[in-house]
Structures are given as structure tokens and as C-alpha cells.
Amino acid sequence: MMSSAVSGERVTIYDVAEAARVSTATASKALNDTGRISIETRDRIKRVARELGFRPNSLARSLTRKRSFSVGLLTNDTYGRFTLPLMAGISEGLIDHGVSVFLCAIGDNPDLARIHVDAMLDKQVDGIIATGKRIDKPLPVDLTKLSVPVVYALTAGPADSITLVPDDRQGAGEAVRHLLAQGRRRIAHVTGPSEFDVVHERALACAQTLAEAGASTDMGTLFGSWSEHWGHQAVEALWSGAERPDGIFCGNDQIARGVVDALRERGVSVPGDVSVVGFDNWEIVAKETRPPLTTVDMNLKELGRQAGLALVRLVNGETVEKGIWRLPCSLIVRSS
């Protein structure tokens, strides 16, 4: 008998393909009784799957029966800050049957976007996931009349589409409640450009949470850029007033890092004198800040996984609730 996968780990289609010495596409065809492969190969792959203890994922199985084992991921997030964790989640959600994800970066170029969409359709992708840098701005291409289903994540979709976004209000509320739980009573909000919807969502949640605390703790909101430099400038502005905050909730981790550095330069202890909370849980920033940042994680990997599974259901012809899906954020407590 062939040994099974490591105890506690689910056997995937990749494990079956590797053990049977075939491609994942061939393994998928054999296990789903589709495609042109010999009876001997099909039987051998099924035998290997049984010996490994492979249990197929029903959603992915029905997807592979339907079309081409591939989905397209379209993004204008050039740096991959949001797209890469999202893509990891999509891949994880579709892994059991070797469904591939094709990533196409389009910037803000409508001509390039159209070329990539046409290329995806030429490859007969089962569907497309559209994602971007901000939830209030659509990609520079119309995806409403395509022959395949489309799911939107972190970018604006049509009213009758499925759009997945983090629950920014819930995440911001968690951040402010954490500051209050630390005994902070003079809380300022330092955030990004006022034209972003997420900026207003987080600022509104901050103000509401402070109001619900039943105390006069709101030192207002300062709008600026998504940068460490703005964090420095914000501290300078806050420390020029008569009353100074003992808690600062920042709109992203880069701003928070600038705030922490600026406070250190002034001899202000973090978190002794001032507690700081960021947003995004961008680990290369949050973990390397001194002290490491307490911050809000948007759970982009899980958001990607849910987007992938939603697309599978659409491909399968299932009824899926349209509209905006808000997925919860998580507070990651570190030392700031």
C-alpha cells in the first residue's frame, strides 16, 4: 500500500498527480471521468487516489467538469500589495482540483485591460475575478457583458454583481475599542486622502465608537496621504495643540509607522505615553516597526478564498446572493 499524506493534512489533487506521475489536469480528468485518457491511466490514478485517502472537493469537482480548470484574476494593483494575498486565498480555495489562476496586471490602462480580458476569454477561463487598489473605483474595463461570470473583490462592481470587501467599519471599531480598553481617553484618528471611501468608513466608525464610549474622547480626524511622512506631519500638528492625544488610530500601517517614529523623536514612549494602532497588517511594515504595530488585518487571503468559491458557484449555475459581501477584519495585537 502507498503511504498517505502527513497526518492531519488533507490530501490534494497535487499529491495524487505527483504520486501517479501525471499532471494535475490529467489527474482531475481521471477522477472526474472526463477528457481523453486511457482506461489504464484512469484506473491507475483512481487507485493511487484511494490509497492516498484523497477526498475531492465537490465544488471544485463540478467546476472541473464544466470547463477549463482555470480562472482569470484581473488587477490594477501594480505592486501586488492587496492582490498577492488575495490570489493566495483564491488558489487555496480552488486547490483540490488543480484549478489554475492567471494573473493579469493592467494598471489604469483601458487598452491593456481589454487585451488581457480578450486573452483570458481566448484561453476559455471559467470566470474572472476583478480586483484593485480601492473599493470605490472600478477597473478601466467593462466586464458586464462577458460570456463568463465575474466576481469583484476590493474594487467597485456593478450593483447587480457580487462584490467582496473587508468590513472597514467593523475593523476600525475594533481598533478604537482596543485603545479604549488600554485606558486611552484622548484619541485622534490620522488617516489617508479624504476622497477614498474607506477613509470615510473608518473615520465614521472611529467617531461612532468613541461616542458610544460615553466620554468626550474624540480629538478629531486628520486627513493626509498614505505615507510615513504624513505620520510625522500629523504628530507635529497634534503636538502643537494644548491637548495632546494618548491614543492614535491610523488609517494604514505606513502612517502608523511614521507616527511611532515621530513620537520616539519627541521622547514620547509608545505605548507608555501613547498607544498606536494601524490598519492593514502589512507585515513587512507592522512587524518591523519598533515597537511592532498592533493593527487591523483585512483578512485578504480569506476574502480571496471566498471570492474563488463564489465564482465556482456561479460557474456551476448555482444561485448566489448579489450585492456587497462585507467580510470581518481581525485585530492583531502586538506591542504598540
Side-chain angles (χ1 to χ4, degrees):
M1 285 287 289
M2 188 176 298
S3 61
S4 62
V6 178
S7 177
E9 293 185 2
R10 180 167 181 163
V11 178
T12 71
I13 191 73
Y14 296 116
D15 298 319
V16 175
E18 182 179 8
R21 297 182 179 179
V22 297
S23 69
T24 53
T26 298
S28 290
K29 291 172 184 177
L31 295 172
N32 288 287
D33 293 316
T34 60
R36 293 185 178 182
I37 57 176
S38 69
I39 295 175
E40 293 81 5
T41 300
R42 193 183 302 276
D43 290 344
R44 178 169 61 84
I45 293 170
K46 287 184 175 181
R47 185 182 70 253
V48 168
R50 285 195 302 271
E51 291 173 350
L52 286 176
F54 174 71
R55 293 181 292 106
N57 176 290
S58 60
L59 285 173
R61 180 174 62 233
S62 54
L63 173 59
T64 57
R65 283 175 177 163
K66 190 135 182 128
R67 283 194 183 165
S68 67
F69 328 115
S70 63
V71 298
L73 179 58
L74 200 67
T75 183
N76 66 349
D77 177 21
T78 308
Y79 296 103
R81 163 68 189 92
F82 304 110
T83 298
L84 292 180
L86 194 83
M87 183 173 181
I90 295 168
S91 297
E92 183 179 281
L94 303 180
I95 191 173
D96 279 355
H97 277 258
V99 178
S100 300
V101 182
F102 293 102
L103 173 63
C104 293
I106 61 174
D108 293 313
N109 186 329
D111 294 330
L112 182 61
R114 187 71 252 173
I115 289 170
H116 280 310
V117 170
D118 289 343
M120 287 179 176
L121 297 177
D122 286 344
K123 291 180 182 295
Q124 295 185 317
V125 295
D126 297 300
I128 292 174
I129 297 175
T131 185
K133 296 178 289 188
R134 52 191 290 187
I135 64 172
D136 55 343
K137 187 175 181 181
L139 295 183
V141 62
D142 184 2
L143 303 175
T144 60
K145 298 179 176 63
L146 300 185
S147 58
V148 297
V150 178
V151 168
Y152 298 82
L154 289 177
T155 191
D160 61 347
S161 67
I162 297 170
T163 303
L164 290 85
V165 298
D167 191 336
D168 286 284
R169 288 198 189 188
Q170 172 264 331
E174 295 277 351
V176 175
R177 281 189 289 273
H178 177 74
L179 288 171
L180 291 168
Q182 305 309 303
R184 304 308 179 181
R185 291 297 176 264
R186 301 183 307 279
I187 297 173
H189 182 37
V190 180
T191 189
S194 61
E195 63 267 24
F196 279 66
D197 279 1
V198 295
V199 167
H200 290 283
E201 290 285 300
R202 295 169 193 173
L204 180 61
C206 179
Q208 288 178 338
T209 305
L210 290 173
E212 289 167 3
S216 179
T217 57
D218 189 349
M219 294 195 65
T221 298
L222 282 72
F223 299 99
S225 63
W226 300 115
S227 68
E228 291 185 36
H229 180 64
W230 164 233
H232 280 264
Q233 291 179 312
V235 168
E236 182 177 351
L238 289 168
W239 257 251
S240 66
E243 188 176 29
R244 297 168 180 175
D246 60 6
I248 302 177
F249 167 43
C250 300
N252 77 350
D253 291 341
Q254 290 167 283
I255 295 172
R257 183 167 180 163
V259 164
V260 170
D261 287 347
L263 291 173
R264 183 189 304 111
E265 291 168 3
R266 289 175 175 268
V268 178
S269 172
V270 176
D273 300 321
V274 180
S275 294
V276 179
V277 177
F279 206 106
D280 287 349
N281 194 30
W282 190 5
E283 292 193 349
I284 61 172
V285 174
K287 284 187 173 181
E288 297 306 317
T289 300
R290 291 295 175 262
L293 277 176
T294 292
T295 183
V296 176
D297 194 320
M298 294 187 290
N299 295 326
L300 295 180
K301 188 174 180 182
E302 176 61 18
L303 193 145
R305 194 179 76 86
Q306 293 295 336
L309 294 178
L311 186 62
V312 166
R313 294 186 177 98
L314 289 176
V315 171
N316 293 339
E318 299 178 26
T319 300
V320 183
E321 183 181 356
K322 303 293 178 66
I324 297 176
W325 299 10
R326 299 187 189 277
L327 275 64
C329 302
S330 303
L331 183 70
I332 307 300
V333 178
R334 294 194 178 95
S335 307
S336 65

